[in-house]
Amino acid sequence: MTNKSKFQKYKYLLWLLYVPAYFISFFMLEKRNDVEFHYIHSSLDDSIPFCEFFIIPYYLWFAFIFVSVGLFIFFDFEGFKKLAWFLALGMTAFIIICYFWPNALALRPVEVTRDNFCARIVRFLYKTDTPTNVFPSIHVYNTLCVEIAILKSKLPKKHKGITTFAVILSVLIIAATVFLKQHSVIDVIGAFVMALLFYLPIYLPEDLRRLHEKRVAEVSEA
């Protein structure tokens, strides 16, 4: 394989350079102190109790995202290409939204009084992660991206347990964002809407192609 063909095959790995670019942009947003934040709140937020035990799936998000991306790179590179676009488009849109519409939350409990392992981790999270730049929830959006990519991939067909595990973990991660008061229900809905919008150009054309091929096959058999 020539160097040119190798580059054509693996050029999508350059998307990995997007990761530091995103984090630099995000930290620059977090450091802004000369903006007026728009506080996000829904009446549903008040009916969701705080539960520190959701800190476990909340932090498992990091492993879920990075391990999944790694598996796609090594075992389903075509799937990785779509997933890379899916993640990058949404994360870029998030940065733009937060830049022009600074947003924040005031949902966290005044003090986490319970004394257990999970409560201590939550107190650490609250100290290190500000409740600003939260809409739409990137925690939820990236979870949806990876979950959709897994469902679209051929890998789960060989290992069916992967799909079940991924779905359960995804649900717990999304639930964790609101039970830990890290996000409003509005942030979660925003993430679902954004995932739908970017799903259309990335996955819908192939969905329609497969549907057409299935119909042609059914007509041929009939």
Side-chain angles (χ1 to χ4, degrees):
M1 184 181 293
T2 65
N3 290 333
K4 183 177 180 180
S5 58
K6 284 183 179 179
F7 174 76
Q8 289 299 322
K9 183 177 180 180
Y10 296 109
K11 64 182 179 180
Y12 277 88
L13 288 176
L14 294 174
W15 275 113
L16 297 179
L17 297 177
Y18 177 84
V19 176
Y22 167 79
F23 279 113
I24 291 171
S25 300
F26 179 75
F27 287 131
M28 289 176 66
L29 284 177
E30 288 284 278
K31 293 297 182 180
R32 291 191 303 175
N33 53 16
D34 57 344
V35 296
E36 180 180 353
F37 287 102
H38 300 81
Y39 282 85
I40 299 172
H41 179 263
S42 165
S43 58
L44 287 175
D45 297 326
D46 300 329
S47 63
I48 299 174
F50 168 80
C51 181
E52 71 270 22
F53 299 108
F54 274 97
I55 194 66
I56 296 173
Y58 186 85
Y59 270 128
L60 282 176
W61 174 83
F62 295 96
F64 180 56
I65 300 300
F66 288 106
V67 170
S68 297
V69 170
L71 290 174
F72 270 96
I73 290 174
F74 288 105
F75 299 107
D76 184 0
F77 202 72
E78 290 302 312
F80 167 73
K81 293 178 184 179
K82 291 185 173 65
L83 176 57
W85 275 106
F86 207 5
L87 291 169
L89 286 172
M91 293 163 74
T92 302
F94 163 77
I95 293 294
I96 294 172
I97 291 170
C98 290
Y99 179 81
F100 289 103
W101 190 64
N103 51 80
L105 296 174
L107 299 176
R108 293 177 176 180
V110 175
E111 185 179 2
V112 180
T113 56
R114 287 191 282 269
D115 187 21
N116 55 56
F117 177 71
C118 290
R120 289 192 287 273
I121 299 177
V122 172
R123 285 195 286 269
F124 171 79
L125 172 67
Y126 284 179
K127 288 180 181 178
T128 57
D129 184 23
T130 66
T132 58
N133 303 307
V134 294
F135 179 88
S137 169
I138 283 298
H139 224 78
V140 173
Y141 177 79
N142 286 357
T143 300
L144 292 172
C145 288
V146 170
E147 178 58 34
I148 290 170
I150 290 173
L151 293 174
K152 293 289 183 182
S153 175
K154 298 177 181 178
L155 293 177
K157 295 178 181 178
K158 298 179 181 179
H159 308 282
K160 295 182 179 180
I162 293 177
T163 302
T164 303
F165 173 79
V167 169
I168 293 173
L169 182 57
S170 296
V171 170
L172 289 174
I173 289 172
I174 293 171
T177 63
V178 292
F179 277 98
L180 290 176
K181 303 301 179 180
Q182 282 290 93
H183 284 285
S184 165
V185 171
I186 296 173
D187 303 332
V188 174
I189 294 173
F192 271 85
V193 171
M194 190 164 71
L196 174 61
L197 291 176
F198 290 126
Y199 176 95
L200 298 178
I202 296 172
Y203 291 103
L204 185 59
E206 186 172 348
D207 291 344
L208 295 176
R209 180 183 61 79
R210 289 180 178 177
L211 180 61
H212 175 70
E213 291 176 351
K214 182 179 179 181
R215 288 178 177 175
V216 170
E218 290 174 350
V219 170
S220 300
E221 291 175 358

